[in-house]
Amino acid sequence: MMSNKIKLTMLLLAAVAIFVGTLHFGTSTALHWLLKNEAKSTGTDWARHIEARLPELLGIDVASGSNGKIQVPTAKNFGSLASDILAVGNIYQIDFINPNCYCDASIGTYLNPPGKSDGQPIKNEQNISRRGRSHEFDHQASKAGVLHEQPSQAHFTHVASNHGYHAPMAASEAGDLKLPIDRGIAESIVASKKHDIVIRTDAPANQPSVFAEVFYPVISEGETVYLLRVLVDLQNQAVRYRNLLYSGTLGVLLLVILSFGYPAKKYLTTSKRQKETDRRAHFLANHDVLTGISNRNSFQETAPVRLDRSRNDDGSATLFLVDIDNFKEINDYHGHHAGDLVLKEVATRLKSAFGSDDIVARLGGDEFAVLVDRETVDFGTGRSFELPASEGSQNIAVSLCVGLARFPRDADNLPDLLRNADLALYDAKKSASRGVRVYDPAMGSDFENRLQLVRDFRTALERSEIVPYYQPLVSAKTGHVESFEALARWNHPERGILSPAVFHEALEDRDICEQLGRVMLKKALTDMAGWKSAGVPFGSVAINVTEADLTRPGFALEAINGLSGGKLARGDLAIEVTEGCIFGSNKDVLLAKLQELRNAGCNIGLDDFGTGYSSITHIKELPRTSVKIDKSFIKGVVEDSVDQAIVQALVDLGRSVGFKLIAEGVETVEQLDLVHDLGCNLVQGYYYSKPVAGAEVPGLIARINNTGLKRAS
Ligand code: C2E
Ligand code: CA
Ligand code: CA
């Protein structure tokens, strides 16, 4: 790509070239051009045309003056003569001079125009009195020459001699210019038969003082019979050149506009557009499009500079990492537009809460960073607020989680500062109270532990240490086992059987979550097939799946083939999903997957019913089977009338759309009685059994079905 400078230089050079060209064109070639065009348009020969036109153009009536004797200069010569003359200046006067009557003095005379000549040369006193201006001829004034012959053919005034012949006074009074011709010049022209230009400065005072004389020999029968002299005004040259400059500049401008105007305009607009694009690209590269504040890129560039400054000043700084609580849910429930509004509002609040010198950036998603150049634990702005979502809909409750690390106390460089603030943020999110957390070195080991956990759990999956445990779901009416839920357990070689509470952080890793789903499905299907062949009446088994499972290519097929391939029947496998998993941005894909599984005969159950946002709005979109009321509502159902009312409402809601109701976390007989009375169909909980290993399932079924762990009522 050509640089702007080169382009501009080229443009300038072109303009200068046109300017110079125009000047030249405007002078020497103008007449040529005119004549040539005339010749062209009239279809006549160029040379002949010039012959006919030039005398007229120059104001010379050659034909009438020649008397057949004068040989007009050839067209070629005339052309060049004309351009010479015009190149020099304005034609002021044209004379025919008898080469034999040139003068060698500074006294000018006039000859009469044809028909008016009295044949008597008159001494021109006026000119004599002015001749003081001449410097060239002064010394020759004493030896004035003689005009031998009057050139009667000439009807122009022309210079004659200082003796004997005088032009009429009338001509002089008319202000015509009279200049003596230098003998030497005349002789050399006659001899050479070539034209010549002489610049002179000996004009009379009231005439333009600087002239050029252009002589041309008029030849007849090989003899120079006259000298054609054209006086060209050089003094007005200044004016002429100025005018020329004006018209030249105008021409240039016109030409530039015409020939370069469009490309130039295009170039200028393009470069303007380019500048705008560059500016925009720079802005986009450094700003978050949605909120208009700095982005991660810009933060990574400016924050180290700010820290360096603090370091040099022996100052301090604080980095706040800010995260919006439940942002995913806000997005899922209120829509992306509301999510955007929340992000913008948070950006605005952060911007106004901190100084203009502080760096406020959106690092991505719902994560913001604020770097202030002082050590502080004061977050500076309210961490919760409400935002009207849209006309008529309920307000969005927004709360922020903050982790902070101080420079140089907690870290003396940006990467460490970010890492430590992130640990603090993680800690803040983990705690029930949330809020602002200040970095503590102990958090580092938590983080390390988390990393170690992920590594260990991955190994555990590979070593087949992850196994399904099964918890029964019992009919509230009959007290018989109807089905099981498969729950993951880590059979740790040293620590024994570990529940998800120990490893749930590892499940935040999508890859691990996906592998777990694979393992659980496979092992559950194997166990089920074993029970089937052993005639164990397990009913069906539900496995917990997440988005990671459902979007894994082949998951549904795997599940279906696992059923149809073995001895398992339709309906032996159930899938448990949470609302949070299904009703996110990927809703349509996930619902389609569930429908596919439902069509293949799998039951679909909605887990943790009542805890999500979308219970009411989305429940009808699910393939119809069961909803499991979360154990958090069952826990207080006996004592707490609110919990009771909630369970009642959830039961009514589930029933109204034809779902089977499951009460989870039933531990006591009172709870069992109550949930039965409230209308739950199935009960799951420690009252009947904790999750047990696959091998214990047959015995458990027998125990529950036969030992009468029944309702009290
Ligand atoms: P969940 O799906 O809601 O599972 C029910 C949890 O409640 C189980 O905990 C179960 O042991 C527990 N529970 C059952 N009855 C009672 C009771 O009467 N009292 C009390 N206090 N708790 C009871 P668990 O097995 O620790 O599982 C916890 C969570 O881990 C599960 O919640 C589920 O979200 C997740 N999880 C477990 N297994 C898997 C799995 O294979 N895949 C996935 N993706 N998640 C799993
Ligand atoms: Ca579950
Ligand atoms: Ca649950």
Side-chain angles (χ1 to χ4, degrees):
M1 210 130 143
M2 235 191 288
S3 89
N4 286 358
K5 267 188 186 163
I6 296 177
K7 281 186 203 162
L8 215 66
T9 316
M10 281 173 63
L11 210 70
L12 269 170
L13 280 177
V16 168
I18 292 174
F19 180 69
V20 171
T22 311
L23 280 184
H24 182 72
F25 177 82
T27 55
S28 61
T29 51
L31 196 63
H32 282 245
W33 183 78
L34 175 80
L35 293 172
K36 237 179 188 164
N37 267 346
E38 278 183 359
K40 206 171 161 193
S41 62
T42 53
T44 46
D45 174 65
W46 149 237
R48 287 194 152 282
H49 182 72
I50 284 187
E51 205 168 320
R53 279 287 276 133
L54 195 81
E56 184 194 327
L57 280 169
L58 294 178
I60 313 164
D61 188 356
V62 179
S64 66
S66 71
N67 236 354
K69 279 187 179 175
I70 295 175
Q71 187 186 343
V72 175
T74 65
K76 192 167 166 257
N77 289 340
F78 247 134
S80 100
L81 169 64
S83 60
D84 284 344
I85 294 165
L86 289 166
V88 174
N90 292 331
I91 295 170
Y92 187 79
Q93 182 174 319
I94 296 168
D95 304 320
F96 279 102
I97 300 161
N98 188 319
N100 298 319
C101 63
Y102 50 76
C103 68
D104 58 359
S106 57
I107 302 163
T109 54
Y110 290 86
L111 290 178
N112 291 335
K116 285 199 179 162
S117 170
D118 58 3
Q120 293 304 307
I122 307 159
K123 193 174 181 182
N124 188 341
E125 300 299 337
Q126 207 179 351
N127 259 357
I128 294 168
S129 66
R130 285 176 188 155
R131 72 184 239 305
R133 289 180 60 79
S134 167
H135 52 84
E136 215 177 316
F137 299 103
D138 275 5
H139 66 284
Q140 294 182 354
S142 55
K143 7 175 202 145
V146 174
L147 181 68
H148 302 296
E149 194 185 323
Q150 178 190 344
S152 57
Q153 299 91 333
H155 68 285
F156 291 100
T157 57
H158 65 84
V159 174
S161 162
N162 58 336
H163 286 300
Y165 289 92
H166 300 278
M169 286 307 289
S172 169
E173 280 154 8
D176 285 339
L177 178 70
K178 305 151 284 287
L179 284 176
I181 180 167
D182 179 81
R183 171 187 281 274
I185 293 167
E187 276 176 348
S188 78
I189 295 165
V190 171
S192 68
K193 295 180 183 161
K194 280 182 183 155
H195 71 275
D196 200 0
I197 297 175
V198 182
I199 308 286
R200 299 176 65 159
T201 54
D202 50 347
N206 66 341
Q207 298 290 356
S209 55
V210 186
F211 282 80
E213 286 184 305
V214 182
F215 295 99
Y216 199 92
V218 179
I219 298 158
S220 178
E221 293 163 4
E223 290 263 311
T224 299
V225 289
Y226 291 102
L227 286 176
L228 170 67
R229 181 174 76 164
V230 182
L231 291 176
V232 182
D233 174 1
L234 289 184
Q235 180 177 280
N236 283 335
Q237 202 66 338
V239 180
R240 184 172 176 266
Y241 271 115
R242 201 174 62 220
N243 289 340
L244 197 72
L245 205 69
Y246 286 159
S247 55
T249 310
L250 208 73
V252 167
L253 267 176
L254 261 168
L255 263 168
V256 165
I257 289 166
L258 283 177
S259 57
F260 278 86
Y262 178 67
K265 183 175 171 275
K266 208 174 158 192
Y267 166 70
L268 288 176
T269 359
T270 317
S271 77
K272 199 176 153 203
R273 211 177 291 144
Q274 185 64 40
K275 260 193 202 144
E276 176 60 22
T277 311
D278 288 351
R279 198 190 60 76
R280 217 174 140 60
H282 183 262
F283 183 87
L284 286 181
N286 290 291
H287 287 82
D288 173 48
V289 183
L290 178 69
T291 61
I293 63 173
S294 301
N295 60 13
R296 177 182 285 275
N297 197 31
S298 158
F299 181 81
Q300 294 285 9
E301 266 176 29
T302 51
V305 177
R306 203 56 70 85
L307 292 183
D308 281 347
R309 202 174 70 186
S310 293
R311 190 180 290 119
N312 294 339
D313 299 350
D314 278 334
S316 51
T318 305
L319 172 68
F320 294 93
L321 283 185
V322 184
D323 189 277
I324 302 169
D325 288 333
N326 303 319
F327 184 68
K328 184 177 183 294
E329 281 75 14
I330 293 173
N331 247 338
D332 291 347
Y333 183 61
H334 294 282
H336 287 278
H337 176 67
D340 287 355
L341 274 183
V342 170
L343 289 171
K344 280 192 217 169
E345 180 65 20
V346 170
T348 310
R349 280 167 183 260
L350 290 177
K351 259 294 205 219
S352 61
F354 292 92
S356 58
D357 219 32
D358 301 325
I359 301 175
V360 177
R362 181 182 170 205
L363 299 186
D366 61 337
E367 200 184 358
F368 294 82
V370 181
L371 184 67
V372 301
D373 54 2
R374 60 192 175 277
E375 190 182 303
T376 177
V377 292
D378 175 19
F379 181 53
T381 181
R383 288 185 306 97
S384 56
F385 55 91
E386 287 210 338
L387 205 64
S390 62
E391 205 77 26
S393 88
Q394 74 192 93
N395 286 358
I396 308 168
V398 183
S399 61
L400 306 176
C401 227
V402 184
L404 70 90
R406 295 149 302 176
F407 171 92
R409 184 203 295 235
D410 300 326
D412 71 347
N413 60 65
L414 185 65
D416 287 354
L417 202 63
L418 272 169
R419 175 183 167 273
N420 292 349
D422 198 25
L423 288 171
L425 177 65
Y426 180 73
D427 201 67
K429 282 204 273 194
K430 229 171 43 178
S431 75
S433 60
R434 305 207 157 193
V436 182
R437 266 319 139 88
V438 182
Y439 168 74
D440 183 302
M443 293 168 178
S445 49
D446 282 3
F447 180 76
E448 285 305 323
N449 293 344
R450 198 162 89 219
L451 278 184
Q452 192 57 43
L453 174 72
V454 170
R455 281 196 291 268
D456 291 350
F457 193 75
R458 189 168 278 139
T459 317
L461 279 164
E462 282 159 14
R463 289 187 187 156
S464 215
E465 288 170 11
I466 310 303
V467 293
Y469 265 46
Y470 299 94
Q471 188 177 32
L473 280 78
V474 182
S475 161
K477 205 168 156 193
T478 65
H480 287 184
V481 174
E482 282 220 350
S483 62
F484 283 85
E485 176 179 6
L487 293 154
R489 292 293 179 268
W490 183 354
N491 191 356
H492 198 280
E494 286 140 32
R495 296 161 70 190
I497 300 295
L498 305 176
S499 75
V502 177
F503 58 80
H504 75 265
E505 282 184 355
L507 300 188
E508 283 169 17
D509 183 307
R510 195 186 162 91
D511 184 46
I512 285 195
C513 194
E514 197 188 295
Q515 279 193 57
L516 174 70
R518 221 188 281 259
V519 166
M520 289 295 286
L521 176 67
K522 192 166 171 240
K523 292 196 173 176
L525 287 173
T526 311
D527 283 344
M528 286 155 69
W531 298 328
K532 244 293 137 74
S533 21
V536 179
F538 65 93
S540 66
V541 172
I543 58 164
N544 292 281
V545 301
T546 63
E547 188 183 348
D549 295 305
L550 288 174
T551 51
R552 176 160 63 85
F555 169 78
L557 263 182
E558 221 169 81
I560 295 159
N561 291 343
L563 288 173
S564 54
K567 313 173 189 78
L568 298 171
R570 287 163 70 97
D572 281 351
L573 183 72
I575 303 291
E576 270 185 31
V577 288
T578 61
E579 295 168 77
C581 155
I582 297 303
F583 298 106
S585 47
N586 216 1
K587 187 184 101 181
D588 294 342
V589 174
L590 299 179
L591 281 178
K593 281 278 176 195
L594 288 180
Q595 194 60 55
E596 197 182 333
L597 286 161
R598 180 78 190 93
N599 295 344
C602 298
N603 291 313
I604 309 296
L606 187 61
D607 208 352
D608 301 349
F609 189 50
T611 60
Y613 278 106
S614 47
S615 307
I616 300 159
T617 31
H618 293 307
I619 190 173
K620 60 176 192 293
E621 295 183 53
L622 273 177
R624 223 140 283 203
T625 41
S626 61
V627 292
K628 196 185 271 186
I629 298 169
D630 192 68
K631 56 180 177 288
S632 59
F633 301 110
I634 306 299
K635 201 170 179 225
V637 76
V638 178
E639 305 84 26
D640 193 331
S641 58
V642 175
D643 276 351
Q644 216 177 90
I646 292 173
V647 171
Q648 184 67 71
L650 291 173
V651 169
D652 291 346
L653 177 66
R655 256 218 203 118
S656 68
V657 287
F659 280 68
K660 201 183 254 183
L661 273 302
I662 304 166
E664 177 193 70
V666 172
E667 297 184 357
T668 65
V669 74
E670 291 81 16
Q671 289 170 340
L672 174 66
D673 284 341
L674 188 56
V675 298
H676 171 262
D677 293 346
L678 288 173
C680 290
N681 312 95
L682 288 166
V683 174
Q684 177 182 8
Y686 294 171
Y687 177 72
Y688 285 110
S689 173
K690 287 197 171 187
V692 298
E696 295 177 39
V697 165
L700 181 65
I701 297 171
R703 185 171 63 85
I704 294 173
N705 288 355
N706 306 324
T707 56
L709 270 171
K710 300 281 170 347
R711 279 178 287 128
S713 53

